[in-house]
Amino acid sequence: MRLAPPPLAITDTEGFERDTFGSKNAGQRLASVVTELDGHSVIVLDGDWGSGKTTFIKQWAGLMRTEHNRGVVYLDAFQMDHHEDAFFVMLAHVLAILDRQFPEKLADSLIDTAGRVLRAVPGAVTNLALKKAIPALTGGIISFEDLVMSHDTPDDWVKAQLEMVENESTSVTKFRTTLTDIVGQSPLNPPLVFIIDELDRCRPSFALNVLERMKHIFSADDICFVLVTHLDELAEMVRHAYGIKNPRRYLQKFYHLRLTIDSVLATSGVTIASKYLQHLSSTTAPEFFKYQGHAMITEMVTIHALRLRAVERMAIGLVLYERTATGVSKDHAAVLVVGLCVLRTCDTTLYQKASKGRMTFAEACAFFKFDEWEDQLSAKKSVEAWKDVTVGEPVGGKGPDPGIRTGGLSRRAVLPDICQHIDLFWNEEE
């Protein structure tokens, strides 16, 4: 049993060969924009957590490498946020590309100019932990001691600070020029694409440091940054760190173009959660993904515009229920179990009513919108199932639906019984 569906493994050069989510057309449209860019550009791919940004951007990176002959740097910022300064992390990822794609002499020149930046930019060398990191990142050319200035008198210190301010602009400009020269002389077509993913999941101080280093040091011509993030989360970081009343406006100075993952995928007519559901049903495949249960979750994905993480959470809950429910609970209709998992994800207040046996049939109809289902046969069967276990609808002398084996439970105890099992392993915060 897997507590999470297996991740979709995407190689660096695979692109959209396995177009699981039907987003190749969207990727080609984005590529047609980026390949025509001149100068320095920053694009934000914005979207909520669990909206499919990472899967899309990894496939798009492969497309750019193979079909468009672009150099692509991919940085998972969340995996690197234990570092103090983003400059070293960003430089290391660029150097990794240089080792494979660019002339060696140009890589050496970039390391040399990076050393000047480290010596000139205030705050770039402040952590003793860099004593080992700096030689490793720069191939041993630059040592920690080379970057730390010692002064015997206050006058020497003041003079050094003034020189640092004077040299900063020159050093950063030289670094940018060198980086642009490398891209221009490489066998790959410009621009070099630098993807920074998971920025909104980082430590706030590191995330903001990435933005500052990107804007003030790495803003070279023929470099296109693609920030894959949720801008609302970044805005909260800015608000907390700087006390800015309008953090979204502040963030606008860091990028030129904002795209939402929803709008990008909409160009292909893609409902990515529906595609993901198909992927889950083939990899996880609990009983609840069959028959009426499958119809319920499929319709809910569309009607409530569920995100990938929501679908994934429900899949985990269904697998656990299938493995742990016993006796009477094991025999409850899948459409009820699936429906309550959807309800638990989308409307916790109504779910709590259901868990206490107080959910009405009218509330069930309003939430599940049976009249909007494409599969009206499944909708009709689901209506009967929910009618029998909710408040406000008489049974009409027909007795319980044959698909609901309530055993010794009263009809009104069915939903609370299911909720008890769902809540056992559902540890997500309300």
Side-chain angles (χ1 to χ4, degrees):
M1 179 180 71
R2 300 183 66 101
L3 287 182
L8 185 64
I10 303 169
T11 66
D12 287 348
T13 58
E14 182 176 351
F16 293 94
E17 291 176 13
R18 291 179 299 151
D19 195 10
T20 302
F21 301 127
S23 51
K24 181 176 182 178
N25 186 37
Q28 290 174 329
R29 286 171 179 260
L30 179 58
S32 68
V33 173
V34 173
T35 54
E36 295 298 323
L37 293 175
D38 292 322
H40 170 67
S41 307
V42 180
I43 298 173
V44 170
L45 183 62
D46 188 14
D48 294 341
W49 289 349
S51 55
K53 301 188 301 297
T54 294
T55 297
F56 172 78
I57 207 65
K58 285 184 175 181
Q59 291 181 309
W60 181 77
L63 176 74
M64 294 296 289
R65 293 184 183 106
T66 56
E67 294 190 18
H68 297 280
N69 194 37
R70 260 61 180 186
V72 180
V73 178
Y74 179 84
L75 167 60
D76 184 333
F78 184 51
Q79 290 187 354
M80 294 291 172
D81 76 344
H82 56 282
H83 291 277
E84 290 298 320
D85 197 302
F87 178 80
F88 303 101
V89 174
M90 297 168 75
L91 176 62
H93 279 70
V94 171
L95 290 176
I97 292 293
L98 302 188
D99 287 343
R100 298 193 299 268
Q101 304 287 358
F102 297 87
E104 182 176 350
K105 63 179 182 178
L106 293 178
D108 291 342
S109 66
L110 186 66
I111 291 174
D112 179 63
T113 56
R116 300 179 190 180
V117 172
L118 296 177
R119 290 188 291 268
V121 176
V125 183
T126 58
N127 192 327
L128 293 178
L130 298 176
K131 183 172 290 188
K132 295 182 178 179
I134 291 173
L137 292 174
T138 61
I141 293 179
I142 304 174
S143 70
F144 181 80
E145 288 73 16
D146 291 335
L147 304 174
V148 179
M149 295 180 293
S150 60
H151 308 285
D152 296 329
T153 67
D155 288 343
D156 289 337
W157 183 86
V158 171
K159 182 179 179 180
Q161 298 306 303
L162 293 175
E163 291 176 351
M164 182 179 294
V165 172
E166 183 178 349
N167 292 335
E168 179 181 351
S169 178
T170 301
S171 300
V172 170
T173 299
K174 179 63 176 177
F175 178 82
R176 292 173 182 165
T177 301
T178 302
L179 190 53
T180 299
D181 289 343
I182 290 175
V183 176
Q185 297 180 47
S186 77
L188 301 176
N189 298 324
L192 174 70
V193 179
F194 197 138
I195 298 170
I196 301 179
D197 197 4
E198 304 284 14
L199 196 58
D200 49 325
R201 293 181 182 269
C202 295
R203 285 186 298 110
S205 59
F206 184 80
L208 298 178
N209 187 248
V210 168
L211 294 178
E212 294 292 344
R213 295 312 189 205
M214 177 191 71
K215 179 176 177 61
H216 298 299
I217 299 179
F218 284 89
S219 55
D221 286 343
D222 290 334
I223 306 294
C224 175
F225 279 90
V226 180
L227 304 181
V228 185
T229 189
H230 189 197
L231 279 180
D232 287 345
E233 294 293 332
L234 280 184
E236 285 303 311
M237 295 180 189
V238 170
R239 188 192 309 276
H240 179 75
Y242 304 137
I244 295 175
K245 292 183 179 179
N246 192 338
R248 288 293 293 259
R249 182 177 298 172
Y250 171 83
L251 287 173
Q252 288 176 3
K253 73 176 185 176
F254 292 98
Y255 62 87
H256 305 99
L257 178 65
R258 170 183 170 266
L259 304 171
T260 67
I261 185 65
D262 290 339
S263 64
V264 168
L265 295 179
T267 63
S268 295
V270 173
T271 304
I272 192 169
S274 297
K275 296 287 186 179
Y276 189 52
L277 179 60
Q278 295 174 13
H279 172 66
L280 290 182
S281 64
S282 63
T283 56
T284 307
E287 289 298 315
F288 300 102
F289 280 110
K290 300 177 181 178
Y291 313 120
Q292 285 178 249
H294 185 271
M296 166 67 79
I297 197 168
T298 300
E299 298 289 352
M300 291 300 98
V301 162
T302 301
I303 290 173
H304 289 288
L306 299 181
R307 295 294 190 184
L308 301 191
R309 290 293 180 270
V311 175
E312 189 174 280
R313 286 198 302 270
M314 287 185 290
I316 294 171
L318 293 172
V319 170
L320 290 170
Y321 187 96
E322 183 182 35
R323 297 293 190 273
T324 61
T326 59
V328 172
S329 303
K330 187 74 172 180
D331 293 330
H332 290 319
V335 68
L336 298 179
V337 181
V338 172
L340 286 170
C341 283
V342 173
L343 200 61
R344 183 76 159 77
T345 301
C346 299
D347 190 335
T348 55
T349 300
L350 188 55
Y351 176 83
Q352 290 302 321
K353 289 190 69 174
S355 71
K356 295 179 174 65
R358 297 204 297 262
M359 181 180 178
T360 68
F361 179 64
E363 289 172 329
C365 289
F367 179 81
F368 295 118
K369 302 182 187 299
F370 298 114
D371 58 332
E372 297 182 17
W373 287 26
E374 290 188 13
D375 185 350
Q376 277 298 302
L377 180 60
S378 293
K380 183 177 179 180
K381 293 179 179 179
S382 298
V383 165
E384 293 302 317
W386 282 90
K387 180 188 294 184
D388 190 64
V389 296
T390 49
V391 177
E393 287 291 331
V395 178
K398 296 181 180 180
D401 185 281
I404 307 171
R405 301 172 187 173
T406 59
L409 295 175
S410 68
R411 293 184 301 108
R412 300 296 181 252
V414 171
L415 297 186
D417 182 68
I418 296 173
C419 291
Q420 181 181 0
H421 288 274
I422 292 175
D423 292 342
L424 178 63
F425 290 104
W426 200 299
N427 58 7
E428 189 164 338
E429 295 291 335
E430 298 291 348

